Amino acid sequence: MLRSPVSRFALLAALSLSLGGCTALQQIVSLQNVAFALNSTTGTEVGGIPLSSLQNYGDLNPIQVVQLGAAVTRGELPLEFTLMVDATNPESNATAARLVNFDWTLFLDGSETVSGTYNNETLLPPGQTVGIPLDIRLDLIQFFGNSLPDLFDLALAVADLGGSSKEVRLQATPSVNTSLGPIRYPGAITIVKADVGG
């Protein structure tokens, strides 16, 4: 599990000179040290079929194969899951970080897929790891063609239940609440969980 350090903000100096900037500066410094990591996926379904008890394409029963085949024929194969992102605020941070927004884009096996926003305000106390659940839905056919065995293999890999090794990656842009109002990261950070499945 790889953790991605957050880049320093270019506007720290400007904030430190502004009214109320000292408090805002402390809050931003707290967030810049937060480490984000992809933890796990839960509730994974492909074409409406839960994957929790399946490890390969051969585990599908005939009814499930027909169900998924019909979906592919219609030109859609939805994959739905909750991706848990761990946010760890180091104990060395003097103050809690308050995450108010988390814009993300999901990359699967090197391909950009869907984007979304997590906008539930989340307190990140020093020395603690807090889970950020991202509910994700995408159409596998839209991004990866219409080979049912290959698509099912990818779904299993995303669920970390089997399949070939794949990379799951997020590009994310968090925002933190400060005494000056919400401050958005100036650029995206990369959070990688490499070689899932396999």
Side-chain angles (χ1 to χ4, degrees):
M1 183 163 58
L2 301 180
R3 296 188 181 274
S4 299
V6 180
S7 301
R8 292 185 175 274
F9 287 96
L11 45 69
L12 286 179
L15 280 176
S16 65
L17 297 175
S18 63
L19 184 63
C22 289
T23 301
L25 184 63
Q26 288 177 343
Q27 293 165 332
I28 292 174
V29 169
S30 292
L31 186 62
Q32 75 169 354
N33 292 324
V34 170
F36 294 93
L38 302 188
N39 185 334
S40 61
T41 58
T42 60
T44 307
E45 294 186 359
V46 60
I49 297 174
L51 298 185
S52 57
S53 62
L54 305 173
Q55 293 186 336
N56 56 63
Y57 185 74
D59 289 338
L60 291 168
N61 64 45
I63 294 176
Q64 292 171 328
V65 172
V66 170
Q67 179 179 338
L68 294 179
V72 171
T73 300
R74 293 193 302 269
E76 59 179 12
L77 190 64
L79 174 66
E80 300 179 68
F81 59 97
T82 298
L83 178 62
M84 188 62 69
V85 178
D86 282 349
T88 303
N89 191 5
E91 192 171 356
S92 57
N93 273 354
T95 60
R98 190 175 295 274
L99 186 73
V100 293
N101 190 271
F102 190 82
D103 294 332
W104 55 266
T105 298
L106 176 70
F107 291 76
L108 294 179
D109 204 25
S111 297
E112 180 177 346
T113 62
V114 294
S115 299
T117 299
Y118 179 84
N119 55 13
N120 293 334
E121 187 167 321
T122 303
L123 184 66
L124 308 175
Q128 295 187 28
T129 297
V130 177
I132 302 171
L134 306 181
D135 294 325
I136 297 176
R137 186 182 192 279
L138 67 145
D139 180 6
L140 291 175
I141 289 178
Q142 178 182 352
F143 299 104
F144 299 102
N146 59 4
S147 169
L148 180 54
D150 290 344
L151 296 177
F152 191 78
D153 185 74
L154 176 60
L156 287 173
V158 170
D160 214 7
L161 295 170
S164 303
S165 295
K166 308 291 181 183
E167 180 193 75
V168 177
R169 171 166 51 98
L170 283 184
Q171 296 277 26
T173 308
S175 298
V176 60
N177 199 22
T178 75
S179 58
L180 301 179
I183 301 294
R184 180 179 170 86
Y185 276 40
I189 60 173
T190 299
I191 313 170
V192 178
K193 186 174 184 179
D195 297 331
V196 298

